[in-house]
Amino acid sequence: MLDPYLPLVLMFALAGAFALFSVTAAPYIGPRRYNRAKLDAYECGIEPSPQPVVGGGRMPVAYYLTAMLFILFDIEMVFLYPFAVSADALGLFGLVEIVLFIVTVGFAYVYVWRRGGLDWN
């Protein structure tokens, strides 16, 4: 009765065994060259400093703005995917709605572009 699930169970078992083997074997196989940079805590972004460098006390936020724009346009793709899957069932109403959605997001894109949010200077 559960025979159709056997390949799936075997695949999960193989993936789990590979993960367990990788984690346990890595300390023995990998190189051990420690230096100060490897022992420091890792944080992405701007190097911390006691005083902000830019603009008399202001921190640059270009990285965070770019991340927020990525999230905005990534969520747009999440909303477009269900439409692409069921475009036939939605018909003309769905087409009009998705065009309005794309136009609205297009206005946001043009606004960000005009304000310089996409410049990497």
Side-chain angles (χ1 to χ4, degrees):
M1 183 166 139
L2 296 177
D3 287 339
Y5 296 106
L6 183 62
L8 186 62
V9 170
L10 289 177
M11 183 62 84
F12 277 117
L14 183 64
F18 178 74
L20 186 64
F21 172 75
S22 298
V23 169
T24 55
Y28 303 110
I29 297 172
R32 293 186 183 94
R33 289 182 293 247
Y34 296 109
N35 57 27
R36 183 171 182 223
K38 284 187 177 182
L39 295 176
D40 280 348
Y42 174 74
E43 291 187 25
C44 64
I46 304 164
E47 285 290 328
S49 63
Q51 295 293 331
V53 180
V54 179
R58 297 181 64 196
M59 293 292 288
V61 294
Y63 174 78
Y64 304 106
L65 289 176
T66 305
M68 290 300 292
L69 289 174
F70 171 76
I71 290 171
L72 171 76
F73 292 113
D74 189 47
I75 290 173
E76 173 197 2
M77 289 299 120
V78 169
F79 285 133
L80 284 176
Y81 184 75
F83 169 76
V85 170
S86 62
D88 292 340
L90 294 175
L92 183 63
F93 173 76
L95 180 65
V96 170
E97 291 297 320
I98 206 66
V99 166
L100 289 174
F101 177 72
I102 291 173
V103 166
T104 303
V105 173
F107 281 136
Y109 177 75
V110 170
Y111 174 77
V112 168
W113 186 14
R114 293 289 203 134
R115 297 277 298 186
L118 302 176
D119 292 337
W120 284 89
N121 300 7

